[in-house]
Structures are given as structure tokens and as C-alpha cells.
Amino acid sequence: IGWNAARDMFTDRRVRLAMTHLIDRQAILDKLLFGLGEIVNGTFFIQSKNYDRSIPPVPFDRARGMALLREAGWRDTDNDGFLDRNGKKFSFTFTISSASKFTERLSVIMKEDLARAGIEMNINRFEWAVFVKKLNERDFDAVALSWSLGYSGDPYQLWHSSQAREGSNFCSFKSAEADRIIERARVEFNEDRRVALYHRFNRIVHEEQ
């Protein structure tokens, strides 16, 4: 699930973290994948050295999620059952590919989880060509994607800020420290030092959600 950090409701890290707390990923794993998987903390392959297993995944915790949203200024000020800030309701659209049965079912679970927190989630389904066009134009609030890294694990194309405009950094993730780590890791031939760099990068992405 990618939150478009260029959209107003998702620019605040606290909101992105709150969204993770509010979505019951264990229920998704159990109901949609029959428990055949593992909740992860980042986009490196979980069996690779680059994946940092010392980082615990964000737990499902509705109370913590609601507290983070309040910190970010989201409250139900007009008692209509939806959170609002500066007179604007917390409402966003989740963009998915119409060909994916998994994301169709995922979106229903997400919609129900977020509604309990006072967040309105609409669902837009597009056939593949239109879906890709939406991605390339960054024309979405949130999106369901599969993040895949190459054998070396180089995250440049997916996560470097230079790729936020025309590359595969569709969610506009930007971090000066992450950029420096990605660039340094590309020229670090010592595997242990490169893995240490990627562990730090893993933690940044995890903390920024």
C-alpha cells in the first residue's frame, strides 16, 4: 500500500504511520493469503541479508493510530462520524488495478478498518493501461503496488528522490539521508558495509512509512 506523500493528507509522517496502525495486516494475511506469508518492515526481500529483521513491523493498534491522527490535527469536530481538519473531511481514493482479485478484496478490508477510525476511503478501479497512466502521472492518493528489487537489492529506482518525478518512486518518498545511503551503497564493494548501509535505509523507510 503506497501513500502519495505529495498529497496533503499524507505529507505528515504521523498520518502515514497511523494508517499502518489502523489496518489489520494480520487479518489480511490470514483471510486473503491463508497465513502463507509474513508481515514485513520494508521492501527488501525478507530472506536477503539486506532485510533488517531487528526492526519489528508496525502493529495493528487502533488507539495508537487515532492518537497519531489527533497529533496531526485530525478530529471529528462536527460530529458527523468522520475526521476533519481545517474544515476538510479525511477522505481519499484508493487506486487499484481492476484485474487484481487480491487488491479488490484488500480494498474492502481496508475500507472497513479505516471507516471505524472515521476515515472515508473511496475505491477507484482501472484497467491496466489506465492504471499505469495514473501511476506515471502520480494521479492518485493511495495505491496498491508490488515493490520488487533486483538481485543486488539496489533501491535507487524505487526510492531515490530523483525518481519521484519520472522514475518508479511513485509515492514521492524523499529523504536526503536515504539518497546518500543509496548512492554510497552503489559504489560500496564490501558486502558487510553495504548491508549495514541497507539496514539503515530499511529503518528510514520503515520509520517514514
Side-chain angles (χ1 to χ4, degrees), residues 36-98:
L36 301 175
E38 193 167 342
I39 296 173
V40 296
N41 62 41
T43 56
F44 287 117
F45 176 47
I46 192 169
Q47 301 298 339
S48 74
K49 293 181 179 180
N50 298 329
Y51 184 85
D52 188 350
R53 285 187 172 273
S54 72
I55 304 172
V58 176
F60 174 56
D61 187 340
R62 188 172 290 121
R64 178 58 182 153
M66 296 302 296
L68 286 165
L69 290 173
R70 285 193 296 272
E71 287 179 22
W74 292 98
R75 303 168 186 271
D76 183 7
T77 62
D78 54 6
N79 295 312
D80 67 348
F82 293 102
L83 301 179
D84 57 85
R85 185 178 65 182
N86 301 325
K88 184 177 180 180
K89 181 169 70 172
F90 197 145
S91 176
F92 75 96
T93 300
F94 188 51
T95 297
I96 64 174
S97 166
S98 59

Side-chain angles (χ1 to χ4, degrees), residues 3 11-12 26 32 40 65 106 112 125 127 149 170 201:
W3 315 114
T11 56
D12 192 321
Q26 186 62 51
L32 303 189
V40 296
L106 168 70
E112 292 174 353
R125 305 162 181 83
E127 59 91 14
L149 297 174
F170 300 115
F201 170 77

Side-chain angles (χ1 to χ4, degrees), residues 83-191:
L83 301 179
D84 57 85
R85 185 178 65 182
N86 301 325
K88 184 177 180 180
K89 181 169 70 172
F90 197 145
S91 176
F92 75 96
T93 300
F94 188 51
T95 297
I96 64 174
S97 166
S98 59
S100 173
K101 293 181 180 179
F102 174 82
T103 51
E104 181 70 42
R105 297 173 66 193
L106 168 70
S107 62
V108 173
I109 294 175
M110 286 174 57
K111 185 179 178 73
E112 292 174 353
D113 281 346
L114 296 175
R116 294 187 184 97
I119 296 172
E120 180 181 68
M121 187 186 99
N122 302 300
I123 304 168
N124 266 358
R125 305 162 181 83
F126 297 102
E127 59 91 14
W128 184 249
V130 179
F131 179 76
V132 171
K133 186 173 185 289
K134 290 281 184 181
L135 287 179
N136 289 333
E137 295 176 351
R138 279 42 173 177
D139 183 18
F140 62 87
D141 298 326
V143 67
L145 290 171
S146 295
W147 281 265
S148 300
L149 297 174
Y151 177 78
S152 68
D154 179 12
Y156 186 94
Q157 183 178 345
L158 294 182
W159 297 106
H160 196 278
S161 63
S162 67
Q163 304 300 295
R165 184 179 294 274
E166 295 181 349
S168 299
N169 183 356
F170 300 115
C171 295
S172 298
F173 169 75
K174 295 181 180 180
S175 163
E177 183 184 1
D179 283 352
R180 289 193 296 270
I181 290 171
I182 292 170
E183 292 163 9
R184 183 177 166 192
R186 292 187 119 190
V187 295
E188 178 56 72
F189 288 95
N190 182 281
E191 184 182 40

